[in-house]
Every structure is written in structure tokens, then in C-alpha cells.
Amino acid sequence: MKHSIYQQLHLPYLEAALPQLLQEASTQQWTYETLLQRALATEVEGREQKAIARRLKAARLPSTKTLEGFDFSFQPSLSERRLRELADLSFVRTCTNIVFLGPPGTGKTHLSLALANRALTAGHSVLFTTLSELSHALSTASHPGLVRSRLRRYITPSVLVIDEVGYTTLSQEQARYFFELVTARYEHGSIILTSNTSFAGWGTLLGDEVLATALLDRLLHHAEVIAVNGRSYRMKERQTDRASVSAPSEAALSATSVVPTGVR
Ligand code: ADP
Ligand code: MG
């Protein structure tokens, strides 16, 4: 089968856009140079979009969140400026970690996802996981080779998001793997980590104070720790829902809203 010149040169996006480009060139009276530039730019653009889509799929982000979609006025403890600075992604280049600390519903996962999204759009590889998923993957590997290959999966990406540190305590083996991972990424790649547990509680979380100290030492050596100490946005949404239905009194609201719907 004979391939077109575009197929031989692997220019699928240019080939697909060509009829429209030629049409526009003639109606707009483009110069040859403009046509050539637009044609090549179309191919470059198509390839970039494909690469972003590939990185997005590999990143396994549970949902798409953006900084633009974050209501900073709801969380006054957070500096919008600081987050905008982080969004310039210099933390990825300097292998700096970001730790979001705070109670449930305050937007820690949202902000992590927003930064992760920025990073992969800018060309960095990203992987999202939770501490329990990660620990499970490593502790259920049936032989050392599989442990190593699974560890590598978490070591390789430029940005690794470890969500929900603190909701589950780790076995001795899992704590050691977590330590190994943080050590392997130390000064090699960024970790964005979220936790509802202050660092003082990590000894209990890992079941080993000495290991927790050594892990925190590496994690925090080059890190931005961001405390998010506001109200839960999930509660706000529930309250707003209720208010729009029947406008209940303050007392009714607090009576119905203090019970969390369960940690995610
Ligand atoms: P956390 O990880 O701290 O428990 P999440 O980031 O999962 O909280 O936030 C819970 C939900 O509320 C998500 O759907 C998130 O997008 C939304 N949310 C949280 N804070 C804000 C905010 N300040 N502005 C807009 N949406 C928010
Ligand atoms: Mg969360």
C-alpha cells in the first residue's frame, strides 16, 4: 500500500488539516512562507495536545481541578499569591515538595490536583495516588522484583501526588516502603502530599518514631508546607443546598452539619 508523503514523514495532523489550510491560504492570500509556517505549526500543536492527553491519562488524576476554580475568599488562611507562585512550577524544577496540612474538606486535594494539572500541561510527568493505594500496591507485591518495579512507577514521574496521608496507619513493612520512596525521590523529584495529621502524629501513623523523623527530615528539607485551617467546603455546599431549599435557621444548620459525611 502506498503511503502519502505526510504519512511517510509522520505528519498526521498536518495531513488532516491540509484541505482547510489550503482553502484559507487562498481566501486570505497567504504568502508561501505563512502557509508553510501554519502547516508546520498545526503539526506541532497536534503533537503537543496528544502528549498532554497521554500524560493526563498516565497521571490518573481522579478529577480535573484548577486554581481558577478555587474560591480563595472561602479559605482566608490560604495565600492566593503563594499558590499562584507555586503554579509557576519552579518547585518541579527544584525538586521541592509541597505539603498541604489541614482538616477534611478544606481543599487540599483540589489544590494538589490543580498544581498537578499545571505540571502536566507544561510537559512534566505526573502520577496521583493515595497513601493507602500506594502502600497496598507495594505490600502486596509477591516478590522483590515486583516491589522494585512498583516502586519505580512511583519514583519516575517528575511530580508524585500522595493524597490522604493520615487516614490509615501503616504496617511496619508499608512504613518502610513509604520511607524508601521518599528517600528515593529526595532531590530527584517533587512530592505533593496532603495530610490531616500534623507532623507530630506521624510517628503513630508509621508506627515508628525514628523512621518518621528520618522520613520527615527528607520530605521537609526542600519543602513548602501550607497549612489550610479553614472550614470544610463540603459542609458549605451542604449548607447552601439546604438553605436554598428551605432556608433553615442557624441552629438547624449547625445541628445537621456537624456530622461529617465520612472522610474521603
Ligand atoms: P480535602 O482534600 O482537604 O479533604 P477537597 O479538596 O477534596 O478537600 O475539597 C472537597 C470538595 O470541595 C472538592 O470538590 C473541592 O473541589 C471543593 N472545594 C474545597 N475547597 C474549595 C474552595 N475554596 N473553592 C472551591 N471548591 C472547593
Ligand atoms: Mg482530600
Side-chain angles (χ1 to χ4, degrees):
M1 188 176 103
K2 192 159 169 1
H3 293 289
S4 73
I5 188 80
Y6 306 103
Q7 285 163 354
Q8 286 178 38
L9 287 169
H10 304 290
L11 301 169
Y13 303 101
L14 196 168
E15 182 172 31
L18 198 62
Q20 208 200 325
L21 281 166
L22 290 174
Q23 167 99 48
E24 251 186 281
S26 116
T27 55
Q28 309 280 328
Q29 302 193 338
W30 287 349
T31 61
Y32 292 127
E33 191 186 359
T34 304
L35 174 60
L36 185 62
Q37 290 227 343
R38 299 277 168 102
L40 294 177
T42 302
E43 179 64 29
V44 169
E45 168 80 1
R47 289 182 188 190
E48 275 171 4
Q49 289 307 324
K50 191 182 176 195
I52 290 174
R54 197 183 318 116
R55 283 194 298 276
L56 182 62
K57 187 156 179 252
R60 309 182 62 194
L61 306 182
S63 60
T64 307
K65 300 283 180 183
T66 60
L67 277 190
E68 291 68 35
F70 193 83
D71 179 2
F72 283 91
S73 68
F74 183 78
Q75 220 56 273
S77 70
L78 265 176
S79 156
E80 178 169 1
R81 219 188 88 206
R82 195 161 170 213
L83 274 143
R84 297 228 166 271
E85 279 165 12
L86 289 174
D88 79 3
L89 303 177
S90 55
F91 78 92
V92 184
R93 289 183 284 278
T94 57
C95 301
T96 300
N97 299 325
I98 301 175
V99 180
F100 291 106
L101 275 185
T106 49
K108 303 181 300 298
T109 302
H110 183 129
L111 294 169
S112 305
L113 287 169
L115 292 175
N117 219 328
R118 278 288 166 106
L120 67 85
T121 311
H124 303 288
S125 53
V126 174
L127 180 64
F128 180 99
T129 186
T130 62
L131 182 61
S132 68
E133 183 186 53
L134 163 92
S135 304
H136 183 77
L138 293 171
S139 61
T140 56
S142 51
H143 57 91
L146 194 55
V147 175
R148 271 197 304 282
S149 82
R150 288 190 180 171
L151 258 176
R152 212 174 310 122
R153 190 201 306 162
Y154 298 110
I155 293 169
T156 319
S158 299
V159 177
L160 177 70
V161 182
I162 307 178
D163 200 20
E164 300 187 343
V165 173
Y167 288 146
T168 46
T169 55
L170 303 184
S171 72
Q172 206 180 6
E173 184 192 38
Q174 290 174 331
R176 227 181 35 245
Y177 286 142
F178 184 27
F179 172 74
E180 227 177 283
L181 175 61
V182 170
T183 302
R185 291 192 64 89
Y186 176 61
E187 297 185 338
H188 288 289
S190 303
I191 297 175
I192 302 177
L193 184 147
T194 81
S195 183
N196 62 347
T197 309
S198 68
F199 298 129
W202 284 36
T204 312
L205 179 71
L206 274 75
D208 183 335
E209 290 291 343
V210 177
L211 191 71
T213 305
L215 184 149
L216 285 170
D217 191 51
R218 285 157 176 77
L219 183 72
L220 301 179
H221 183 196
H222 310 289
E224 292 262 349
V225 179
I226 299 176
V228 201
N229 284 317
R231 291 173 296 149
S232 164
Y233 199 84
R234 294 196 188 98
M235 295 304 175
K236 177 206 163 203
E237 288 190 325
R238 287 178 54 192
Q239 292 182 2
T240 316
D241 287 352
R242 294 184 64 90
S244 63
V245 175
S246 60
S249 68
E250 277 295 312
L253 273 178
S254 57
T256 53
S257 62
V258 284
V259 184
T261 44
V263 283
R264 295 202 322 153

